[in-house]
Amino acid sequence: MRRAGPLTLRGSAIPETTTDQRLLDRRGPTDWVHTDPWRVLRIQSEFVEGFGLLSEVGHAVSVFGSARAARGSERYLLAEEVGGRLATDGYTVITGGGPGMMEAANKGAREAGGTSIGLGIELPFEQSVNDYVDIGVTFRYFFVRKTMFVKYSQAFVVLPGGFGTLDELFEAITLVQTGKVTRFPVILVGTEFWGGLHDWIVKTLRTEGMISEGDPDLVQLTDDPAEVVRIVHEAHVNHFG
Ligand SMILES: CC(C)=CCNc1ncnc2c1ncn2[C@@H]1O[C@H](COP(=O)(O)O)[C@@H](O)[C@H]1O
């Protein structure tokens, strides 16, 4: 008779090898590594890593923006200021961990003495999280990473950017519109950059009946980093007391 954890095995049911031996024995086909059930485990492990790392982060704000802004450019400095002001107000700053405005926001947060987090994404070209990230994770799956941005922040700050930034912006607006997240400010920084999109949302989406009357107000526009912090702070105080 053999006991293995909660199991009792007798006779021919007793395996000839131990669990460790079977684990360490690498022989056999490897196709299973490329199957979806195996990927599900990998996805699960990304959630476990992410939740484990971020669950004790205090109040946080996710800052999005172009990966392509040059160091020292006006937009880089804007992102740096936004990151710095949020950190000074006590918020952890979470970015996509990449270059450009993500790096700038991490830099601002770090230099203001705040916590600077980067949730990177594995991309086809070699890349690691930027040098201003104090706590970083690199995800394989976009959708796991996106869950982390929403779950562990109290607001989205959206600086000028391209498709990646638009993806993050519209995901946030949809979650707010459908009530999946509540009292979650989505702040567009850069009235000139975002004005055209906001006008189109009002003049086309609302006029054509594709969104509700009040939906354009789900996002707020500003040019002023101090105003960003004020909006976040106000929503936060109303929500958490
Ligand atoms: C130089 C280059 C293109 C590097 C890309 N490296 C990246 N690293 C991490 N997050 C990224 C990257 N590219 C896009 N993203 C995600 O998409 C947004 C920026 O994309 P975009 O530049 O607006 O469209 C960021 O907020 C970020 O979450």
Side-chain angles (χ1 to χ4, degrees):
M1 195 256 283
R2 181 178 305 166
R3 286 191 197 284
L7 308 179
T8 299
L9 302 168
R10 289 200 172 89
S12 61
I14 299 174
E16 283 167 17
T17 55
T18 64
T19 308
D20 262 354
Q21 277 172 335
R22 291 192 296 282
L23 174 72
L24 297 172
D25 183 356
R26 289 200 190 169
R27 283 166 301 171
T30 56
D31 288 357
W32 55 273
V33 174
H34 306 290
T35 61
D36 280 351
W38 177 251
R39 289 199 182 97
V40 168
L41 294 179
R42 216 161 50 190
I43 290 164
Q44 192 175 326
S45 79
E46 288 212 336
F47 277 112
V48 171
E49 285 291 343
F51 289 167
L53 186 79
L54 299 171
S55 57
E56 281 166 17
V57 160
H59 296 302
V61 174
S62 292
V63 179
F64 302 104
S66 173
R68 299 166 194 236
R71 287 194 181 127
S73 65
E74 204 176 313
R75 289 199 165 128
Y76 188 98
L77 297 176
L78 172 71
E80 196 175 330
E81 186 177 351
V82 167
R85 283 183 181 265
L86 286 166
T88 303
D89 208 48
Y91 291 98
T92 290
V93 171
I94 305 178
T95 76
M101 297 176 95
M102 294 172 266
E103 175 186 293
N106 286 126
K107 180 171 189 277
R110 150 101 59 89
E111 289 176 357
T115 308
S116 168
I117 295 185
L119 306 182
I121 183 78
E122 187 187 282
L123 294 169
F125 39 94
E126 201 57 42
Q127 198 204 359
S128 61
V129 293
N130 71 64
D131 290 344
Y132 298 98
V133 167
D134 292 328
I135 301 172
V137 200
T138 303
F139 291 88
R140 276 193 166 97
Y141 299 98
F142 259 118
F143 60 91
V144 178
R145 174 179 183 254
K146 283 167 119 182
T147 305
M148 303 299 152
F149 283 127
V150 177
K151 184 167 170 60
Y152 293 106
S153 64
Q154 275 85 57
F156 273 17
V157 174
V158 187
L159 298 159
F163 288 153
T165 303
L166 288 171
D167 173 48
E168 285 148 351
L169 166 64
F170 281 103
E171 183 187 40
I173 301 177
T174 308
L175 291 172
V176 177
Q177 186 197 40
T178 55
K180 298 281 183 186
V181 291
T182 53
R183 274 170 276 195
F184 192 94
V186 180
I187 306 156
L188 298 177
V189 187
T191 50
E192 205 180 315
F193 185 87
W194 293 113
L197 178 71
H198 198 261
D199 280 353
W200 180 77
I201 289 174
V202 173
K203 290 192 190 129
T204 303
L205 292 188
R206 188 166 69 182
T207 308
E208 298 266 351
M210 300 294 173
I211 56 173
S212 301
E213 194 60 23
D215 282 347
D217 303 333
L218 297 178
V219 293
Q220 304 183 60
L221 267 86
T222 182
D223 286 310
D224 179 8
E227 172 81 352
V228 171
V229 178
R230 195 193 57 71
I231 296 169
V232 172
H233 199 83
E234 203 174 278
H236 184 173
V237 168
N238 289 342
H239 194 41
F240 297 101

